[in-house]
Amino acid sequence: MDQVLPALGLLLQPAVLVALLVGSVGGVVIGAIPGVGPAVAIAILLPTTFIFDPLVGLSLLLGIYGSSMYGGAIPAILMNTPGTAVNALTTYDGYPMTRRGQAQRALGLAYSASFFGAMVSIVSLVVLMPVLTKVAPMFGSREIFLAALFGVILVILSHRGQVFAAGMMACFGILLNTVGMEPINYTQRFTFGQSWLSSGVNLVVVVLGLFALSQAFLLLSGSDDHVEPQKVRGSVFSAMREVWQHKRIAGVSSAFGVGVGIIPGVGEFVSQFLAYSYAQRTSKTPEQFGDGSPEGLIASESANNSVPAAALIPLLALGVPGEALTAMMLAVFYVHNVVPGPQLLAERMDFVIALYIALLVLNIFALAFLLMSTRLLVRVISIPNRIIGVLVLMFSFVGVYSLRNSITDCLIATAFGLFGAILKRLNVPIVPIILGMVLGGIMEAKFRSAMARIQSPMDFFDRPISAVLVLAIIGILVMSLRSAWKKHAESAE
């Protein structure tokens, strides 16, 4: 309680409240436009946030991250086209309800289930906070190196059917991070005598290229087919009470989101499918799933919206981002010399609590905006793809150039944009590149720091948390190899 009042003092600054409002409303609008998504928006906004205080910048990005999934449900339900990738499962039951003339009911269920999941996630964080403050100081260089290594392995293994490609992309990201001046002895690596490589490959330039510019190229080169959204008649308020009738499904699905969100590299998709499978398995009407089941819609929306708050746990407690969006937010911390990890929890708990209260406020803003403006947002969905592509292209180049007023950065971002567009066309995952760059830097710094304190490799086992992490890494690798071998044997028969 001693830290709550200072946290409220930080949060009630006008600039923070404006950032939350703009982020929440902007996130809903961006989520409602198919083809953009929070990753593109955060990539474009990232250079702008560097000029703000860290809490203002992070509130803006959190607003985009946390509220985009609310908006993404609108085209998923009205057009059978998910606004963001994580709303794909919402189309299974949301669109059939719309075809039966229940669009307002489906939207009400989606909004209230998303809000329910977000609240469960934030309450879980508040409950876990005392545990985090006690456990985080037990993480030294060895533990953080092993946690980052565990994160890289989980990111790679989470791309089922593309593990080799994801591994190659993660290694490419780690290689990119080694370009430039080495941080311990200040020697040059992989610069080939080129002065423009001496400061390394900038993470924000790569993020803007891979996420924003690549999406702009795809939007501009693709067709401009347009599907007219279904009309929304009636109020969405009446359907919101229905979520409480399915509180068991909403509660368990939110718990899946929290549990999965904490684990680096797993994310919304796994939590959604676990929640959806559980809801279908325990439902009295499983035959309705995929054909307009309210329980299926509640399960998918409550699970995906409970992930963002949980995904902040490894970032704030250990400084290890679990997925691409929190990796981008890490750049805001570093620019302002605020280092997430055990020291942040020990010395700036008011800052951490302010971030959690910001999550609560942005969800209230997003829900209020949706209830007032759903019919207006339906018109936003109708913007042609090529106009969106031109806007994304323009704002991306403005963002890249404003970083260091450098044409070279624009050229590097364009090269990564073309590379990202090719990878997307080939269905090769690009997220491991960003996580490889971020986690590779953490792994190198912590490994070299740990090597100064250990005498033999067995020293990685002499502390309880490092021993648990080593066993977890060995266990997940053995399980994955066993699963791959079993699948290979079954296909050979």
Side-chain angles (χ1 to χ4, degrees):
M1 192 66 191
D2 293 342
Q3 302 288 345
V4 174
L5 290 178
L8 284 173
L10 290 173
L11 195 70
L12 291 176
Q13 299 175 63
V16 178
L17 292 175
V18 170
L20 275 174
L21 182 62
V22 172
S24 306
V25 172
V28 170
V29 175
I30 287 162
I33 303 172
V36 183
V40 173
I42 289 177
I44 292 173
L45 285 173
L46 201 54
T48 309
T49 59
F50 294 164
I51 63 175
F52 301 138
D53 287 340
L55 187 58
V56 176
L58 287 169
S59 297
L60 182 64
L61 300 186
L62 275 178
I64 300 287
Y65 182 22
S67 58
S68 60
M69 286 172 247
Y70 284 96
I74 297 174
I77 289 169
L78 300 182
M79 298 167 57
N80 203 27
T81 304
T84 70
V86 297
N87 294 110
L89 205 54
T90 306
T91 62
Y92 284 22
D93 296 293
Y95 189 62
M97 290 177 75
T98 297
R99 296 187 65 182
R100 292 203 298 262
Q102 299 176 344
Q104 81 285 356
R105 182 189 177 199
L107 288 170
L109 286 172
Y111 296 165
S112 46
S114 295
F115 188 75
F116 186 97
M119 293 304 105
V120 169
S121 180
I122 294 167
V123 169
S124 302
L125 289 181
V126 172
V127 172
L128 287 171
M129 188 74 72
V131 181
L132 282 178
T133 54
K134 290 180 181 175
V135 173
M138 299 167 69
F139 277 74
S141 300
R142 275 168 274 185
E143 288 79 8
I144 294 179
F145 162 72
L146 290 168
L149 178 62
F150 190 43
V152 171
I153 292 170
L154 285 175
V155 167
I156 295 170
L157 295 179
S158 66
H159 289 83
R160 288 180 178 273
Q162 296 180 301
V163 170
F164 179 74
M168 293 298 291
M169 292 299 106
C171 290
F172 179 58
I174 293 171
L175 176 66
L176 284 176
N177 182 68
T178 62
V179 176
M181 190 172 289
E182 178 266 334
I184 306 296
N185 298 316
Y186 301 107
T187 55
Q188 296 285 339
R189 296 186 300 196
F190 304 117
T191 58
F192 306 103
Q194 301 295 317
S195 58
W196 57 277
L197 283 174
S198 60
S199 58
V201 182
N202 189 286
L203 174 66
V204 180
V205 173
V206 178
V207 164
L208 274 161
L210 286 178
F211 286 92
L213 285 174
S214 66
Q215 192 63 22
F217 294 149
L218 291 178
L219 288 170
L220 290 170
S221 62
S223 61
D224 215 3
D225 297 337
H226 177 64
V227 179
E228 191 66 28
Q230 300 282 328
K231 300 287 184 187
V232 181
R233 296 184 176 84
S235 170
V236 299
F237 282 96
S238 56
M240 297 183 72
R241 290 192 295 271
E242 196 177 339
V243 168
W244 190 248
Q245 297 170 12
H246 301 287
K247 53 184 176 295
R248 177 183 59 82
I249 296 294
V252 174
S253 301
S254 303
F256 276 125
V258 173
V260 170
I262 295 173
I263 303 171
V266 182
E268 292 92 349
F269 294 104
V270 174
S271 69
Q272 275 184 306
F273 283 101
L274 287 174
Y276 196 83
S277 301
Y278 168 80
Q280 187 173 24
R281 199 170 57 250
T282 59
S283 173
K284 293 178 181 176
T285 54
E287 71 282 357
Q288 292 183 6
F289 278 68
D291 192 28
S293 166
E295 292 173 296
L297 185 58
I298 291 169
S300 61
E301 282 297 307
S302 54
N304 68 28
N305 236 44
S306 57
V307 170
L312 288 179
I313 290 181
L315 178 71
L316 293 173
L318 305 176
V320 176
E323 36 76 55
L325 299 182
T326 49
M328 295 183 203
M329 291 182 198
L330 191 61
V332 181
F333 283 95
Y334 284 160
V335 163
H336 293 283
N337 204 25
V338 178
V339 181
Q343 200 169 357
L344 182 69
L345 292 185
E347 298 176 357
R348 294 295 312 275
M349 183 52 77
D350 57 336
F351 181 85
V352 176
I353 293 174
L355 283 179
Y356 289 152
I357 300 175
L359 280 167
L360 173 68
V361 175
L362 74 86
N363 277 281
I364 294 172
F365 282 168
L367 185 64
F369 177 66
L370 280 165
L371 293 177
M372 291 188 296
S373 61
T374 293
R375 287 188 177 83
L376 182 65
L377 285 169
V378 171
R379 297 182 187 176
V380 173
I381 299 172
S382 307
I383 298 174
N385 286 344
R386 286 179 182 162
I387 291 179
I388 297 170
V390 169
L391 292 173
V392 171
L393 196 70
M394 181 178 70
F395 286 120
S396 299
F397 278 122
V398 170
V400 174
Y401 187 76
S402 65
L403 272 177
R404 296 184 289 199
N405 296 335
S406 169
I407 293 295
T408 304
D409 283 346
C410 293
L411 295 174
I412 295 173
T414 303
F416 276 102
L418 293 170
F419 182 53
I422 293 169
L423 292 180
K424 286 178 179 176
R425 287 280 190 208
L426 296 175
N427 198 28
V428 176
I430 60 174
V431 170
I433 299 176
I434 302 301
L435 288 170
M437 283 186 76
V438 175
L439 294 177
I442 295 171
M443 285 164 55
E444 181 185 4
K446 296 301 176 185
F447 181 74
R448 294 176 74 166
S449 175
M451 290 300 286
R453 297 179 175 84
I454 65 174
Q455 302 297 323
S456 74
M458 291 306 293
D459 286 343
F460 278 102
F461 289 92
D462 69 351
R463 290 154 56 119
I465 293 179
S466 60
V468 168
L469 286 168
V470 170
L471 291 175
I473 290 169
I474 294 171
I476 194 76
L477 288 175
V478 169
M479 286 171 59
S480 299
L481 288 172
R482 186 181 173 191
S483 175
W485 177 258
K486 190 175 177 182
K487 190 178 291 184
H488 175 72
E490 287 175 354
S491 62
E493 288 177 356

